[in-house]
Amino acid sequence: MSEDLWELLDAKGPELERRHPLTHLALEVWTQPEDSVLREWARHVLPNLLAWFSLRPAKGLSRKTALELIGDGRAPELREQALNKLVRMGDQSLATHTLNALAAGWTWVKLAGLDKQAQRLYLAGVTLHDLNKMDPALSGKRLDGPEGEHYRSSLHRWGEVLGVWRFVGEEYLDDVAFLAQNAEDVRGENRTLSNYVHLRLPPDLLEDLAEFVRVADLAASVAQRPQDLPRHKKINNLLRRLLRGRYVLRYHRTREHRGLLTQVIHNGVIEAARKAGWIPWLFFPDGVTYLVPKEAPELDVTGMPQWVRQEVLRSVKPGISELIFRDGKGIRFKPELIEVADVGVAGATLIRRVFTIIHEDKLPRAAERRAKILTKFPELQRLDWDIPNTLQVDRLAEGLSGLAKLLEAYYAKPVEEVAHALLEGLGVGGLYEEWKQIPPDGGVPFNWYYVAGQYLKHHPGLDEADLEGVMQHAFDHAVKAWGAPQTPPPFAFLEDYVAQVLDLGTPGVPWKFEQAWHRYVRNKAHRGRTPVCAVCHSPFDVQEEFSNYSNKRETSLKKGSERGICAVCRVERLLRQYTMGGGLGDDGVYLHLYPSYFFTPETALVMDQAYRNFAQTTFPELDKQLAPYRYHPRAVATADVFMIEVPSKNPRLDKVVYPQGQIQGYYLLRVPPMVKKPTETEIWAMPLLLGVLAPVVLGVKAVVSTSGIPLFDTGAAFPESVVIDGGPAFWQQGMRTNRFRLDELTTVIPAVFTLYGLTYQAYHDSKGAPSWNQLNTVARHLATTPLYVFHYQDRIQRQRGMEDLSPRLAEQMLLYYWSWQRYIGGDNPMGMIQELVDRYARFYRGEGRAAYARLRPLDAAARVVINSAPETDKETLQLMIEGELHRLLESVLDRQAKGFIPEEGRRLEARKALVEEFARYFLDKVFYSYCKGDRARLRQHLNLIRHAAEAYYLKAYRKAREEALERSDA
C-alpha cells in the first residue's frame, strides 16, 4: 500500500489530549520543597517530552536503521565499525535519555545549592541539549556556523513544542542555547559569548551551569553499571570542581542477579550506606552508585547476612501457614518450614492450620480409616476400635501425626521416641505399646487415629479451643524435655553467599565460579555424580525434590529423574511465593523490567508508585484507548497501558510487596492468565502485548519469560528494548523474532495490534472476551500473505451483525493491512489491488452497498480468465475481458444494471482506452505476475483480492450518500 493511502486513512487520528500517566505520578510523588522547580518542569514540559520522544532513539539502533543513517559514503571498514558501534549500544529513547540526564544532575544541583532561577535554566538546558536528535535536519548545524539562524529557529520551535518557554521564558533563549551547545565536548564547545547576542545570565554562572548540564549528559550516556561513573576520569574531575571536592563516587554491586533475593541484599546495603551518610545516586539492577561525603566512614557490611536473613524471614512469615497442607496421608509440611520457623512457631502454626484445613464442611474419616486398617490387618481387631467418627478425632489424629513429623525433623530423633514423648504429654503414655502395634500403612497415620479415638472417647465434649490446647500441651511437653534443637540458623548459606556476591569496589571473597563448573561437569559424567541445582548450578547445598524431567542431570534405571534445588533457589522460591504469589514455575508469565540505563531517586519514586498501581488490563481496554489514534506511536506513549493513572477495579497484577520508601533498580511483574485451565497461547497472550508496550510507556527494557529468575543481571547485558524468552507458536509464526530494538517498535506495535485485533474482532464470545487460542490460526494465515487480513472481513461483518461492508470496517481493515505490511516488508500486493481499483474506477462506479455492485469489473475479468480454456493466449484473453466489460458498461448506460460512468469515461473512445488499460493491467499484474498464469491460483486468491479491493474502493470512492449511512451506523 502506498503512503498516499496512509494519508487517506488519516493515520494520526484526532489530536492527542491525554496527559502521560507518568506525569500524573511525577506530580504526585515529587512533593519535597527542594523539588518544587522540578515539579513545575514536570507540569509544563514532561508530558510533551514523553509524548514526542518515547520512541525516538537517543542511543542504540537496529541494524537496518543504522545502515540507513550511515549511508554509503564511507570506506567499508569504517562503515562496519560505525555500524557495530550503533548496533551494540544499548537502547535508550530520547525521552528517557533526557529524563535520566536531567534527574542525575538534579542531585548535584541541589547539593551545590543553586538558586531557583539557576535550577530553571539547568532544567531547560538539559531538556534541549540534544536538539540535533530532536531535529535531524540540523545535522551538526550550530549557532556559530553559517546556518546559525536555522539552529536558533529550531531551538525556538522545539522549546515551544515541549513547553520550555512556558517554564523558563523565551527571553532566556540565548542562555539556554549556550547551555545546550556546551553540554558535550564530542561535537566541540561553543563558549564564545559574542555568538549569543541576548544573554541575560552572568558569564561565570553560565559557565557553571554548562558544567552541570555536561555532568547530566555524561551520566545519562556513560552509566550502565554501578562502577562506570566512579571509574570515569572526566566525571570525577567535574565532581571535584562543581561540588568543591566535598564528595567522592563509590558503588556497590552484586556479581549475579537472582531476582528478589538480590533485591533484599541491595536494600540492606542501601540502608547501611544511608546510616553511614552515603547518598544513593543512581540505581541499577545489579547495584547502586553513591555520592559519599569525604568525611563519611567506610561501609560496614559485616552484619549483612543476618540483616538479609531477618528480612527474608519477615517477608515469608505471613505465608508460613501455607507451607502446611493435607494430602491422602494426613497433615504434612514442606521442608522450607524447618528453614523459616523455629520449633515453637512451627508447632503452633501447624496446630492452628489443622483446624483451618479440617473445617466443619469436611466429612469425618475416622470410621473409614478404622475399616481400612482392620480389613488389611484383621489381627488388630483385638484392640478397642470403638472410637467416635467425628471431625475432632480427625483433627487430633492428623495434628499429632504432623507434630510427630515436625519433631523428627527438628530433633532428628527416632519416631518411637517422638511418639512416646507426645503420648506422655497427652497423659496417655499407656497407649504406647498399642500405638507401636498399628502400622502406618501407606503413610496413613492409623496409629494416631487409634490414639485420638481413645483420648476423645474418655474426654468427650472438647471444643476446638480445648482440642488446640491439648495438642499444644503435648507438643510443649516434648520440646521442654529436649530443649532447643541444635539446628543451624535459617538460610545458613547466607554468610558465604553474601560475602561472595557483594562487591564494594574493594578486595573481597572471590566468586566461586570454578566450583559450580566442576559440579556441573561431574554431574554430567557417568560416574561420581553429585546433586546439582536444576535451575542455576549453584555450588551451595542442594536438596533433591520431585519435579519434571531436567536434562541437567543424567537419568538411568538406578537413578530417577528427580532433580535438585539449591539453597539459594529455595530462598528465591519462598520470596516469590510469599511476596508476590508465585513460585519458580506457575501458570503465568513474568515481566522483568530493567531501567534504561538507570533510575535516579526522582525517577525511581515515579516507577515505584507506578509499580504499586499496576493492574491487570484487557485487550479491549487497550484497543479502546489506541484505536482512535490508529495505533500511532505518540498515542501509545500516552496510553495508560498498566492502569496506573487512576484507581482501577481490575484485578491487580502479581507484584512484590516492597516496604514503603525502598527504591529498586529492577521490578518483577507476574501476569496471571485470566481464564481457568489456560492453554499456552492464553498464558502468553497478554504478557507479550504488555512486554512490547512497556518500553514506550515506562521508558524501561522488558524481558518476557515464564521464568521468575532474571535472564540478565542488568539491562546493559542486552542492547534490545524487548526480549522474549521462548514464546508460543503464534508469536514465532507471526512476529518471527523474539528481540526488538526501540526504533523497530514503531512498526512492531501496530503489527501486534493487527494480529490481536483481527483475532479479537473475528473470534470473541457473547461477553466480548477474546478467544486467544485463535491467534495461532490468524498468525498462520498472515504468515502466508498479508492479504489474509481481508480474509477475516466477512467473519467480522457477521460478528457485528452487518450484511454489507461498512466504510468504518473497510478503513479498519486497510489500517490492519498497512500496519502488518509495514512490519513484515517484502512484496506489497495491495499496491497492485489499489492500482487495479483506481483503473476501473475511471470508467465504472457502483451504486448501493452490495459488494458485487462495487466489484463488477474485477469480477467480470476474473470470471473470463477462470472460465477460459488453458490454451487461450494473452491477446485473446484481453479481447474477451474487454468484450465482457463493454457489455457491462452498455447495461449500465441502458439502465439495466445499477451504477454510473464517471465523467472521464463518458466519451466512447476514452472509455475504450480505459477498458483496454484495465484489462491489460489485470492480465499482466494480477494473472500472469501475482498468480503466475495459474487459473487455480487465481481462483484460490480471488476472495482475498475481492475483499481487499472492496475495502479500498469503499474508502477511496464512497459517495456522500454512503458517508451519511456510515454516520447513521455510528
Short mmCIF file of all heavy atoms in Angstrom, two decimals, residues 778-805:
data_model
loop_
_atom_site.label_atom_id
_atom_site.label_comp_id
_atom_site.label_asym_id
_atom_site.label_seq_id
_atom_site.Cartn_x
_atom_site.Cartn_y
_atom_site.Cartn_z
N VAL A 778 -4.82 -17.16 13.05
CA VAL A 778 -4.63 -15.85 12.40
C VAL A 778 -3.16 -15.66 12.04
O VAL A 778 -2.84 -15.21 10.92
CB VAL A 778 -5.13 -14.73 13.32
CG1 VAL A 778 -4.87 -13.36 12.69
CG2 VAL A 778 -6.62 -14.89 13.61
N ALA A 779 -2.25 -16.00 12.95
CA ALA A 779 -0.82 -15.83 12.67
C ALA A 779 -0.39 -16.70 11.49
O ALA A 779 0.41 -16.27 10.64
CB ALA A 779 0.00 -16.17 13.91
N ARG A 780 -0.90 -17.92 11.44
CA ARG A 780 -0.55 -18.82 10.33
C ARG A 780 -1.03 -18.25 8.99
O ARG A 780 -0.32 -18.29 7.99
CB ARG A 780 -1.16 -20.20 10.59
CG ARG A 780 -0.75 -21.26 9.57
CD ARG A 780 -1.18 -22.64 10.00
NE ARG A 780 -2.62 -22.77 10.04
CZ ARG A 780 -3.33 -22.89 11.16
NH1 ARG A 780 -2.72 -22.87 12.33
NH2 ARG A 780 -4.64 -23.01 11.12
N HIS A 781 -2.23 -17.69 8.97
CA HIS A 781 -2.74 -17.10 7.73
C HIS A 781 -1.94 -15.87 7.32
O HIS A 781 -1.57 -15.72 6.14
CB HIS A 781 -4.22 -16.71 7.92
CG HIS A 781 -5.15 -17.88 7.84
ND1 HIS A 781 -6.41 -17.87 8.39
CD2 HIS A 781 -5.01 -19.11 7.27
CE1 HIS A 781 -7.00 -19.03 8.15
NE2 HIS A 781 -6.17 -19.80 7.48
N LEU A 782 -1.66 -14.99 8.26
CA LEU A 782 -0.93 -13.76 7.93
C LEU A 782 0.50 -14.06 7.48
O LEU A 782 1.09 -13.28 6.73
CB LEU A 782 -0.91 -12.81 9.12
CG LEU A 782 -2.27 -12.20 9.52
CD1 LEU A 782 -2.09 -11.23 10.68
CD2 LEU A 782 -2.94 -11.51 8.35
N ALA A 783 1.05 -15.17 7.97
CA ALA A 783 2.40 -15.54 7.53
C ALA A 783 2.41 -15.96 6.07
O ALA A 783 3.46 -15.95 5.41
CB ALA A 783 2.94 -16.67 8.41
N THR A 784 1.23 -16.35 5.53
CA THR A 784 1.13 -16.76 4.12
C THR A 784 1.18 -15.55 3.19
O THR A 784 1.97 -15.49 2.26
CB THR A 784 -0.17 -17.54 3.89
OG1 THR A 784 -0.22 -18.63 4.82
CG2 THR A 784 -0.24 -18.09 2.48
N THR A 785 0.32 -14.58 3.44
CA THR A 785 0.29 -13.33 2.67
C THR A 785 -0.43 -12.29 3.50
O THR A 785 -1.42 -12.60 4.18
CB THR A 785 -0.42 -13.50 1.31
OG1 THR A 785 -0.62 -12.19 0.74
CG2 THR A 785 -1.76 -14.18 1.46
N PRO A 786 0.02 -11.04 3.48
CA PRO A 786 -0.67 -10.01 4.26
C PRO A 786 -2.11 -9.77 3.80
O PRO A 786 -2.91 -9.22 4.55
CB PRO A 786 0.20 -8.76 4.05
CG PRO A 786 1.02 -9.04 2.84
CD PRO A 786 1.22 -10.51 2.81
N LEU A 787 -2.44 -10.21 2.57
CA LEU A 787 -3.82 -10.06 2.11
C LEU A 787 -4.80 -10.87 2.96
O LEU A 787 -6.01 -10.64 2.91
CB LEU A 787 -3.95 -10.49 0.64
CG LEU A 787 -3.42 -9.52 -0.41
CD1 LEU A 787 -3.65 -10.07 -1.80
CD2 LEU A 787 -4.08 -8.15 -0.27
N TYR A 788 -4.28 -11.82 3.74
CA TYR A 788 -5.16 -12.60 4.60
C TYR A 788 -5.82 -11.74 5.67
O TYR A 788 -6.75 -12.19 6.35
CB TYR A 788 -4.41 -13.77 5.24
CG TYR A 788 -4.74 -15.10 4.59
CD1 TYR A 788 -3.83 -15.72 3.75
CD2 TYR A 788 -5.98 -15.71 4.80
CE1 TYR A 788 -4.14 -16.93 3.14
CE2 TYR A 788 -6.29 -16.91 4.20
CZ TYR A 788 -5.37 -17.52 3.37
OH TYR A 788 -5.69 -18.72 2.77
N VAL A 789 -5.33 -10.51 5.87
CA VAL A 789 -6.06 -9.58 6.72
C VAL A 789 -7.52 -9.51 6.28
O VAL A 789 -8.46 -9.52 7.10
CB VAL A 789 -5.41 -8.18 6.67
CG1 VAL A 789 -6.35 -7.12 7.24
CG2 VAL A 789 -4.10 -8.17 7.45
N PHE A 790 -7.73 -9.45 4.96
CA PHE A 790 -9.09 -9.27 4.42
C PHE A 790 -9.89 -10.57 4.45
O PHE A 790 -11.10 -10.55 4.21
CB PHE A 790 -9.01 -8.71 3.01
CG PHE A 790 -8.31 -7.37 2.96
CD1 PHE A 790 -6.98 -7.28 2.55
CD2 PHE A 790 -8.96 -6.23 3.36
CE1 PHE A 790 -6.33 -6.07 2.52
CE2 PHE A 790 -8.31 -5.00 3.33
CZ PHE A 790 -7.00 -4.92 2.91
N HIS A 791 -9.21 -11.69 4.71
CA HIS A 791 -9.92 -12.96 4.84
C HIS A 791 -10.93 -12.90 5.98
O HIS A 791 -11.96 -13.59 5.94
CB HIS A 791 -8.90 -14.08 5.09
CG HIS A 791 -9.48 -15.39 5.49
ND1 HIS A 791 -10.11 -16.23 4.61
CD2 HIS A 791 -9.55 -16.00 6.71
CE1 HIS A 791 -10.52 -17.32 5.24
NE2 HIS A 791 -10.19 -17.20 6.52
N TYR A 792 -10.63 -12.08 7.01
CA TYR A 792 -11.48 -12.02 8.19
C TYR A 792 -12.58 -10.97 8.08
O TYR A 792 -13.35 -10.77 9.02
CB TYR A 792 -10.61 -11.77 9.43
CG TYR A 792 -9.70 -12.93 9.70
CD1 TYR A 792 -8.38 -12.94 9.24
CD2 TYR A 792 -10.17 -14.07 10.36
CE1 TYR A 792 -7.56 -14.04 9.45
CE2 TYR A 792 -9.35 -15.16 10.58
CZ TYR A 792 -8.05 -15.14 10.13
OH TYR A 792 -7.26 -16.24 10.33
N GLN A 793 -12.66 -10.32 6.93
CA GLN A 793 -13.63 -9.26 6.74
C GLN A 793 -15.06 -9.79 6.89
O GLN A 793 -15.88 -9.22 7.63
CB GLN A 793 -13.44 -8.65 5.35
CG GLN A 793 -13.91 -7.23 5.20
CD GLN A 793 -13.29 -6.60 3.97
OE1 GLN A 793 -12.22 -6.02 4.05
NE2 GLN A 793 -13.96 -6.71 2.85
N ASP A 794 -15.37 -10.88 6.20
CA ASP A 794 -16.72 -11.45 6.27
C ASP A 794 -17.07 -11.90 7.69
O ASP A 794 -18.18 -11.67 8.16
CB ASP A 794 -16.84 -12.65 5.32
CG ASP A 794 -17.02 -12.22 3.87
OD1 ASP A 794 -17.36 -11.04 3.66
OD2 ASP A 794 -16.83 -13.06 2.98
N ARG A 795 -16.10 -12.54 8.35
CA ARG A 795 -16.38 -13.05 9.70
C ARG A 795 -16.65 -11.91 10.67
O ARG A 795 -17.56 -12.00 11.51
CB ARG A 795 -15.20 -13.90 10.18
CG ARG A 795 -15.49 -14.57 11.50
CD ARG A 795 -14.35 -15.46 11.97
NE ARG A 795 -14.72 -16.08 13.23
CZ ARG A 795 -15.35 -17.24 13.34
NH1 ARG A 795 -15.69 -17.92 12.26
NH2 ARG A 795 -15.67 -17.73 14.52
N ILE A 796 -15.90 -10.82 10.54
CA ILE A 796 -16.12 -9.67 11.42
C ILE A 796 -17.48 -9.05 11.13
O ILE A 796 -18.20 -8.63 12.04
CB ILE A 796 -14.98 -8.65 11.25
CG1 ILE A 796 -13.65 -9.26 11.74
CG2 ILE A 796 -15.28 -7.37 12.02
CD1 ILE A 796 -12.44 -8.40 11.46
N GLN A 797 -17.86 -8.99 9.84
CA GLN A 797 -19.18 -8.48 9.48
C GLN A 797 -20.27 -9.30 10.18
O GLN A 797 -21.22 -8.75 10.74
CB GLN A 797 -19.39 -8.53 7.97
CG GLN A 797 -18.67 -7.45 7.20
CD GLN A 797 -18.86 -7.60 5.70
OE1 GLN A 797 -17.93 -7.51 4.93
NE2 GLN A 797 -20.09 -7.84 5.28
N ARG A 798 -20.11 -10.62 10.16
CA ARG A 798 -21.12 -11.47 10.79
C ARG A 798 -21.14 -11.27 12.31
O ARG A 798 -22.22 -11.25 12.92
CB ARG A 798 -20.86 -12.94 10.45
CG ARG A 798 -21.10 -13.29 8.99
CD ARG A 798 -21.17 -14.80 8.79
NE ARG A 798 -19.94 -15.46 9.16
CZ ARG A 798 -18.92 -15.66 8.34
NH1 ARG A 798 -18.95 -15.21 7.10
NH2 ARG A 798 -17.83 -16.29 8.76
N GLN A 799 -19.94 -11.13 12.90
CA GLN A 799 -19.88 -10.90 14.35
C GLN A 799 -20.63 -9.62 14.71
O GLN A 799 -21.23 -9.52 15.77
CB GLN A 799 -18.41 -10.80 14.81
CG GLN A 799 -17.69 -12.12 14.91
CD GLN A 799 -17.92 -12.82 16.23
OE1 GLN A 799 -18.85 -12.49 16.95
NE2 GLN A 799 -17.08 -13.80 16.54
N ARG A 800 -20.57 -8.62 13.83
CA ARG A 800 -21.21 -7.34 14.11
C ARG A 800 -22.65 -7.29 13.61
O ARG A 800 -23.33 -6.27 13.75
CB ARG A 800 -20.42 -6.21 13.46
CG ARG A 800 -19.02 -6.04 14.03
CD ARG A 800 -18.32 -4.86 13.38
NE ARG A 800 -16.97 -4.70 13.92
CZ ARG A 800 -16.14 -3.71 13.55
NH1 ARG A 800 -16.53 -2.82 12.64
NH2 ARG A 800 -14.94 -3.61 14.07
N GLY A 801 -23.12 -8.38 12.99
CA GLY A 801 -24.48 -8.42 12.50
C GLY A 801 -24.72 -7.54 11.30
O GLY A 801 -25.83 -7.01 11.10
N MET A 802 -23.70 -7.36 10.44
CA MET A 802 -23.79 -6.49 9.26
C MET A 802 -23.94 -7.35 8.01
O MET A 802 -23.27 -8.37 7.87
CB MET A 802 -22.53 -5.62 9.14
CG MET A 802 -22.33 -4.67 10.31
SD MET A 802 -20.60 -4.09 10.45
CE MET A 802 -20.18 -3.74 8.77
N GLU A 803 -24.78 -6.92 7.10
CA GLU A 803 -24.94 -7.63 5.83
C GLU A 803 -23.87 -7.24 4.83
O GLU A 803 -23.38 -8.06 4.07
CB GLU A 803 -26.33 -7.35 5.24
CG GLU A 803 -27.47 -7.99 6.03
CD GLU A 803 -28.80 -7.81 5.33
OE1 GLU A 803 -28.81 -7.27 4.19
OE2 GLU A 803 -29.83 -8.18 5.92
N ASP A 804 -23.53 -5.96 4.81
CA ASP A 804 -22.55 -5.45 3.84
C ASP A 804 -21.41 -4.75 4.57
O ASP A 804 -21.53 -4.33 5.73
CB ASP A 804 -23.22 -4.47 2.86
CG ASP A 804 -24.35 -5.12 2.09
OD1 ASP A 804 -24.10 -6.17 1.48
OD2 ASP A 804 -25.47 -4.58 2.13
N LEU A 805 -20.32 -4.59 3.86
CA LEU A 805 -19.14 -3.93 4.42
C LEU A 805 -19.42 -2.44 4.62
O LEU A 805 -19.87 -1.76 3.70
CB LEU A 805 -17.95 -4.12 3.47
CG LEU A 805 -16.62 -3.50 3.91
CD1 LEU A 805 -16.11 -4.17 5.19
CD2 LEU A 805 -15.59 -3.63 2.80
#
